[in-house]
C-alpha cells in the first residue's frame, strides 16, 4: 500500500505542475492577477508532494520492501542504513525521482524568494518551471516509476547496491550534481520569461544572476566530488577520463561559466543581452542532452548506467521540444533587443566576450568528441572511439590563450582603456611569473619539460595577476580596511574562482607530468621503492564488513628510514553480487599523495600491488572547492538581498 | 557602415573564427586520435564490406569475451595473456599490469592497444564496465545480432 501512496502523491504533484504551467502563464498573457497569484502556492504544494513521495521511497528502502522492483534491484537487507538511503538514487528510476525533488525544491525556492519581482515576470518564471516539472513527472510516472511492484513473486533478498556506489563520495555526488543541473533550469526559466515578456533589461539579468551562480556552484562541487570519487574508488589513481558521462556534466559547466560572465556584463552594462539569453537556453539544453546521453545507451561508456532506448527517445523528444520551442521564441523576439552600452576594443566587455568564445569553443569540442562516435556508428561507418589524447590535446591548446586572458581581463575597465599603462603592468606580471615559476619548478623537480613549464607558468600568471589587481583595487581607498570593505562579493567571487582555476591548472599539469606508478609483486617483508619512499609489505589480513568479505594488504611506508604511515588497502568481495572491489589506501598530503591498490594473490603468499606517487593531485579538488565557494558567496551580496516592501505589483 | 553594424560584424566574425578554429583543431586532432573498434572476428577476417585488415603497429580497440581458461599469469611478474572471442576466431591479448576488478573469465571486456602480430595485441589498457552484467554494446551486437538490450527484471528466477 505504501509504495502506491508514493506513486499517487507523484500523480497529484504532476496535477499541480500542470496547473502551475497553465494558470500563471495564462494569467500573465491575459493580465489576470488572480491566476498569476496561484503560482507560488502551486509551486510549494508540488514541492511538498514530491518530497513526500521521495520520503516514501526512502521509507520502503529502509524497511527492505523487496516487493518493489527498484528496492529489490538496488538495495539489500545487509546494506548499512546510510547506503540504503544512497541506493534511492543509485539507480535510474530513483535518480530521476531525485531530479524531481531538486526541480520541485528549486521551483518552490524561486516562488518564495521572488517576492519583489513584478508579478508578470514571477508568474512566467514559475510557469516555465512548471512546464519542465510536467515533462519530468510524466517521464517518471509513465516509464520510470521507482514504485513498480514485483508481485506476486518477489525476492526475499535484494540485489544490493553496486559496490562502487558504496562510498561516501557517492552519497553526496549525485545530489550536488543534480542541484547544479536542475538549478540551471531556473536560469533557463528566467531567460524564457524575459523573452515572453519581451523586456530583456538589466532587471532580468540581475534576478537571474544569483540563481545561476548558485546552480553553477553546486555543479562545480558535484563535478569536483565526482572526480575525487573516481580517484579514490576506482583504484586506478585517475581523476578524469573524458568519458561521455563525465563530458555530459562538463558541457553544461562550461556554458554556465560563460553564462555567468555574460550575465555580469548584461547586468552592469546592458549589452550582450541576446547572447546571454542564448547561453541560458544552451546551458539547460546541455543538461538535458547530458541526461539523454547517460540514460539512452546510445553512447558506449565505461560507466553508463542502466539504459533503455524508449527512455532515450522520450528524453530526446523532450529535449527537442525545449530546445526547439525556446529557439523559436528567441528567433521571434531577438530582433527587439537592443544593446544600450557602447564600448571600444580594449575594454572589459571585449575581454569577457573573448572569454565567452573560448568557453563556447571548448564546449563545442567536448560535444563533437562525445557525439562523433555515435554519429559515426549511426551512419553505419563502424564503431570508433575518440579518447583521452584527443581531448587532452585540444584542451592543452585552448587553455593557453584562455589562461592568459584570465589574468588580464579583470584589470580592464568597462567601455574603454588606454593600452600603454596596461601593457606595462602586464610586462611586470610576466617577469614575476617567470621568476616564481622557475624558482618553484627548479627547486622541486629534476627534469622540466617546456610544456610543463609553460602550463605551470599559466597558473602562476593567473594568481599573480589576480593578486596585483586585488591590491590595486584596495589601494585606491584611503585605508586597507576600507578598501577591502568596498570590494563587492562578486569581486571576491572572481578572485576565488580565478585562483581556483589556477590551482586546477597547476595540479593537472604537475600531477600529469610527475606522477609515477609501479606495479610490483611482493611477499611479506619485502620492500619496494618509489621516488623517495620505501614500501614494506606486511602481509594480508582477512577482513569482514557488513556486506562484504575480503583481504586487506598492510604496507608500511618509510622515507629516509623514518616511518611515514601505514597503508591499508582492501580487496573486497561483496556477498550479494559476488563482485570484487578495490579499496585503495591513500595517504593524502598538500604536496603529494601516496596511493596504494591491492591487486590479486599470486599464490604462495605473494600479492600484486600497485603503488602511485602523485604530486599536487589534491590541488585539483582544492581548486574545485574554491571555485564552488565563488559561486556561493555571491549569494551574500547585499545587492541580491530581498528588499522588503519594494515590490511593485503591476499586471 | 554605422558603428552598430560594424560591431555586429565584428561579433559575427569572432564567432565564426572561434567555431572555425574549433572545427579545424578537432579535425586535425581526430586524425591522430581516432581508434577503430574491432571484434576478434573482424581483426582476423577483416572489417566492413571491403574486409579491411588492420596493419601491424596500428592502435585499436578490441572487445570480446574472455575465453574461460585462457588467462595465463606468470607467478612472479605482472605479465598476463588471455584470449578474446566473439563468434569466430580467437585473438590473444598481452598485458602488463593489474587487471580491473571486474575482469573475469567469460566476461566481456574492451582492451586498447597496438597490433603486434596479425592476431596478437599488446594492450595498454583493459576495461571492464562497472556492472556485473556488462557486455559492451558493440560485442552484444556482434555476438547476438541485437542492437539494444532492455534491462531485464528477472529476479524471481534467481532467488
Amino acid at each position: 500500500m505504501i509504495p502506491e501512496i508514493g506513486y499517487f502523491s507523484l500523480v497529484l504533484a504532476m496535477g499541480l505542475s500542470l496547473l502551475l504551467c497553465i494558470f500563471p502563464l495564462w494569467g500573465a498573457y491575459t493580465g489576470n492577477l488572480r491566476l498569476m497569484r496561484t503560482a507560488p502556492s502551486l509551486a510549494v504544494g508540488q514541492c511538498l508532494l514530491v518530497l513526500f513521495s521521495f520520503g516514501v521511497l526512502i521509507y520502503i528502502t529502509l524497511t527492505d520492501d523487496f516487493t518493489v522492483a527498484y528496492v529489490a534491484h538496488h538495495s539489500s537487507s545487509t546494506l548499512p542504513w546510510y547506503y540504503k538511503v544512497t541506493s534511492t538514487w543509485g539507480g535510474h528510476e530513483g535518480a530521476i525521482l531525485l531530479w524531481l525533488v531538486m526541480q520541485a525544491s528549486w521551483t518552490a525556492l524561486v516562488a518564495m524568494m521572488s517576492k519583489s519581482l513584478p508579478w508578470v515576470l514571477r508568474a512566467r518564471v514559475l510557469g516555465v518551471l512548471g512546464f519542465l516539472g510536467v515533462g519530468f513527472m510524466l517521464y517518471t510516472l509513465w516509464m520510470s516509476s521507482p514504485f513498480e511492484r514485483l508481485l506476486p513473486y518477489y525476492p526475499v533478498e535484494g540485489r544490493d547496491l553496486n559496490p562502487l556506489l558504496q562510498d561516501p563520495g557517492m552519497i553526496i555526488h549525485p545530489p550536488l550534481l543534480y542541484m547544479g543541473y536542475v538549478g540551471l533550469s531556473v536560469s533557463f526559466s528566467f531567460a524564457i520569461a524575459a523573452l515572453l515578456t519581451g523586456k530583456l533589461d538589466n532587471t532580468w539579468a540581475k534576478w537571474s544572476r544569483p540563481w545561476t551562480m548558485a546552480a553553477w556552484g553546486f555543479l562545480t562541487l558535484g563535478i569536483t566530488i565526482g572526480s575525487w570519487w573516481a580517484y579514490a574508488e576506482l583504484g586506478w589513481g585517475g581523476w578524469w577520463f573524458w568519458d561521455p558521462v563525465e563530458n555530459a556534466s562538463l558541457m553544461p559547466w562550461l556554458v554556465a561559466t560563460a553564462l555567468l560572465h555574460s550575465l555580469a556584463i548584461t547586468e552592469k552594462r546592458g549589452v550582450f543581452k541576446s547572447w546571454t539569453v542564448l547561453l541560458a537556453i544552451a546551458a539547460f539544453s546541455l543538461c538535458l542532452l547530458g541526461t539523454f546521453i547517460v540514460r539512452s545507451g546510445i553512447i558506449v561508456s565505461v560507466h553508463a548506467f542502466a539504459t533503455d532506448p524508449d527512455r532515450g527517445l522520450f528524453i530526446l523528444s523532450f529535449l527537442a521540444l525545449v530546445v526547439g520551442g525556446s529557439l523559436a521564441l528567441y528567433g521571434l523576439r531577438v530582433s527587439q533587443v537592443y544593446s544600450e552600452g557602447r564600448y571600444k576594443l580594449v575594454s572589459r566587455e571585449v575581454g569577457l566576450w573573448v572569454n565567452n568564445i573560448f568557453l563556447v569553443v571548448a564546449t563545442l569540442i567536448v560535444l563533437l568528441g562525445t557525439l562523433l562516435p555515435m554519429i559515426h556508428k549511426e551512419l553505419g561507418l563502424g564503431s570508433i572511439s575518440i579518447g583521452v589524447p584527443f581531448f587532452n590535446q585540444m584542451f592543452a591548446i585552448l587553455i593557453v590563450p584562455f589562461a592568459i586572458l584570465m589574468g588580464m581581463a579583470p584589470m580592464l575597465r568597462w567601455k574603454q582603456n588606454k593600452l600603454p599603462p596596461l601593457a606595462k603592468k602586464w610586462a611586470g606580471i610576466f617577469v614575476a611569473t617567470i621568476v616564481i615559476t622557475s624558482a618553484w619548478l627548479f627547486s622541486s623537480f629534476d627534469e622540466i619539460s617546456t610544456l610543463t613549464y609553460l602550463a605551470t607558468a599559466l597558473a602562476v600568471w593567473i594568481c599573480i595577476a589576480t593578486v596585483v589587481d586585488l591590491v590595486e583595487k584596495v589601494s585606491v581607498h584611503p585605508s586597507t580596511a576600507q578598501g577591502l570593505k568596498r570590494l563587492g562579493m562578486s569581486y571576491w567571487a572572481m578572485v576565488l574562482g580565478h585562483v581556483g582555476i589556477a590551482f586546477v591548472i597547476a595540479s593537472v599539469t604537475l600531477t600529469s607530468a610527475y606522477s609515477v606508478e609501479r606495479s610490483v609483486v611482493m611477499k611479506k617483508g619485502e620492500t619496494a621503492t618509489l621516488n623517495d619512499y620505501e614500501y614494506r609489505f606486511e602481509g594480508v589480513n582477512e577482513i569482514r564488513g557488513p556486506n562484504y568479505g575480503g583481504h586487506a594488504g598492510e604496507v608500511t611506508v618509510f622515507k629516509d628510514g623514518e616511518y611515514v604511515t601505514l597503508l591499508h588497502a582492501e580487496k573486497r568481495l561483496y556477498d550479494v553480487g559476488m563482485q570484487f572491489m578495490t579499496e585503495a589506501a591513500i595517504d593524502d598530503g598538500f604536496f603529494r599523495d601516496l596511493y596504494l591498490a591491492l591487486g590479486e594473490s599470486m599464490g604462495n603468499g605473494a600479492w600484486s600491488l600497485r603503488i602511485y606517487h602523485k604530486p599536487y593531485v589534491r590541488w585539483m579538488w582544492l581548486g574545485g572547492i574554491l571555485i564552488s565557494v565563488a559561486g556561493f558567496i555571491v549569494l551574500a551580496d547585499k545587492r541580491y538581498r530581498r528588499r522588503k516592501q519594494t515590490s511593485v505589483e503591476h499586471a | 557602415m554605422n558603428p552598430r553594424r560594424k560591431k555586429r560584424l565584428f561579433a559575427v566574425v569572432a564567432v565564426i573564427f572561434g567555431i572555425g578554429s574549433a572545427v579545424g583543431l578537432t579535425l586535425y586532432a581526430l586524425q591522430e586520435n581516432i581508434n577503430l573498434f574491432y571484434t576478434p572476428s573482424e581483426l582476423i577476417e577483416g572489417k566492413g564490406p571491403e574486409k579491411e585488415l588492420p596493419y601491424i603497429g596500428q592502435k585499436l580497440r578490441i572487445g570480446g569475451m574472455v575465453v574461460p581458461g585462457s588467462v595465463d599469469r606468470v607467478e612472479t611478474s605482472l605479465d598476463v595473456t588471455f584470449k578474446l572471442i566473439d563468434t569466430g576466431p580467437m585473438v590473444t591479448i598481452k598485458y602488463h599490469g593489474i587487471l580491473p576488478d571486474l575482469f573475469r573469465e567469460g566476461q566481456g571486456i574492451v582492451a586498447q592497444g597496438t597490433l603486434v602480430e596479425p592476431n596478437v595485441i599488446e594492450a595498454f589498457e583493459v576495461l571492464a564496465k562497472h556492472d556485473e552484467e556488462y557486455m559492451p554494446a558493440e560485442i552484444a551486437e556482434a555476438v547476438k545480432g541485437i542492437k539494444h538490450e532492455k534491462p531485464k527484471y528477472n529476479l524471481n528466477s534467481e532467488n
Side-chain angles (χ1 to χ4, degrees), chain B residues 22-146:
Chain B
V23 172
L25 276 173
T26 310
L27 293 178
Y28 167 75
L30 278 179
Q31 280 181 342
E32 298 173 26
N33 296 320
I34 282 190
N35 293 325
L36 280 171
F37 179 88
Y38 290 85
T39 63
S41 321
E42 285 172 340
L43 193 86
I44 305 294
E45 291 159 7
K47 188 180 171 74
E50 256 118 73
K51 296 283 165 205
E52 271 179 78
L53 284 172
Y55 56 88
I56 303 288
Q58 183 179 326
K59 273 194 184 172
L60 48 82
R61 278 194 316 147
I62 185 156
M65 314 290 282
V66 180
V67 179
S70 75
V71 180
D72 183 19
R73 176 127 254 186
V74 189
E75 218 172 77
T76 48
S77 92
L78 290 165
D79 288 323
V80 60
T81 60
F82 55 89
K83 290 189 162 58
L84 280 187
I85 194 168
D86 57 328
T87 49
M90 288 190 277
V91 168
T92 306
I93 310 286
K94 290 182 171 176
Y95 179 67
H96 176 89
I98 294 168
L99 293 162
D101 291 327
L102 300 179
F103 181 93
R104 252 180 279 171
E105 296 187 345
Q107 220 221 356
I109 61 111
V110 173
Q112 281 207 60
T114 318
L115 192 70
V116 288
E117 282 169 50
N119 62 344
V120 179
I121 288 164
E122 240 174 56
F124 54 83
E125 187 176 45
V126 174
L127 298 170
K129 205 167 108 159
H130 313 166
D131 190 327
E132 64 258 52
E133 279 176 22
Y134 177 56
M135 179 188 271
E138 291 137 327
I139 303 169
E141 240 176 285
V143 177
K144 300 184 182 166
I146 42 169

Side-chain angles (χ1 to χ4, degrees), chain A residues 21-316:
Chain A
C21 172
I22 297 168
F23 281 180
L25 285 177
W26 183 250
Y29 183 68
T30 56
N32 183 335
L33 186 61
R34 273 188 58 200
L35 278 181
M36 286 192 260
R37 283 184 165 221
T38 58
S41 19
L42 285 171
V44 173
Q46 170 208 255
C47 180
L48 293 176
L49 284 167
V50 173
L51 284 176
F52 178 76
S53 175
F54 190 58
V56 168
L57 183 62
I58 291 178
Y59 174 79
I60 55 179
T61 313
L62 285 177
T63 52
D64 300 321
D65 186 347
F66 298 124
T67 62
V68 176
Y70 183 81
V71 181
H73 263 90
H74 299 283
S75 181
S76 72
S77 56
T78 53
L79 204 59
W81 70 269
Y82 42 91
Y83 287 132
K84 282 185 184 170
V85 175
T86 316
S87 80
T88 58
W89 57 76
H92 176 88
E93 292 85 355
I96 295 292
L97 185 59
L98 179 70
W99 176 298
L100 275 180
V101 168
M102 300 292 174
Q103 172 96 49
S105 309
W106 278 106
T107 309
L109 265 178
V110 172
M112 290 186 289
M113 310 279 278
S114 62
K115 285 184 183 143
S116 55
L117 270 186
W119 267 108
V120 180
L121 189 58
R122 193 178 177 195
R124 282 189 168 133
V125 169
L126 291 172
V128 175
L129 283 168
F131 168 78
L132 298 174
V134 173
F136 276 96
M137 286 191 208
L138 191 63
Y139 176 72
T140 311
L141 294 172
W142 187 13
M143 39 184 40
S144 163
S145 166
F147 299 110
E148 224 162 87
R149 296 266 202 175
L150 285 171
L151 288 174
Y153 306 107
Y154 60 89
V156 289
E157 180 55 280
R159 248 201 229 178
D160 210 4
L161 179 64
N162 186 339
L164 272 170
L165 305 182
Q166 298 186 26
D167 175 86
M170 267 296 138
I171 300 180
I172 43 177
H173 164 65
L176 287 172
L177 203 62
Y178 278 20
M179 277 295 270
Y181 266 5
V182 183
L184 287 175
S185 73
V186 179
S187 323
F188 172 82
S189 305
F190 268 98
I192 296 295
L195 281 175
L196 284 170
T197 313
K199 265 178 72 184
L200 282 166
D201 50 17
N202 318 20
T203 332
W204 153 72
K206 186 177 165 183
W207 276 99
S208 178
R209 209 170 150 197
W211 295 100
T212 309
M213 288 301 279
W216 177 81
F218 281 116
L219 194 58
T220 312
L221 207 53
I223 294 174
T224 306
I225 288 173
S227 156
W228 175 76
W229 166 80
Y231 172 80
E233 186 66 20
L234 296 185
W236 291 88
W239 29 266
W240 190 260
F241 301 93
W242 293 108
D243 184 276
V245 174
E246 291 168 346
N247 292 349
S249 68
L250 183 64
M251 288 189 280
W253 186 83
L254 288 168
V255 173
T257 310
L259 172 64
L260 45 97
H261 286 96
S262 170
L263 271 173
I265 327 177
T266 305
E267 185 195 339
K268 293 258 170 68
R269 301 274 304 130
V271 293
F272 298 164
K273 290 175 187 170
S274 53
W275 172 252
T276 308
V277 170
L278 204 56
L279 284 180
I281 294 172
F284 182 62
S285 303
L286 285 169
C287 291
L288 290 181
L289 182 72
T291 314
F292 167 69
I293 289 173
V294 177
R295 300 297 172 193
S296 65
I298 198 148
I299 279 180
V300 186
S301 158
V302 223
H303 63 217
F305 308 94
T307 52
D308 177 347
D310 290 339
R311 290 171 171 178
L313 192 65
F314 183 100
I315 301 174
L316 193 62

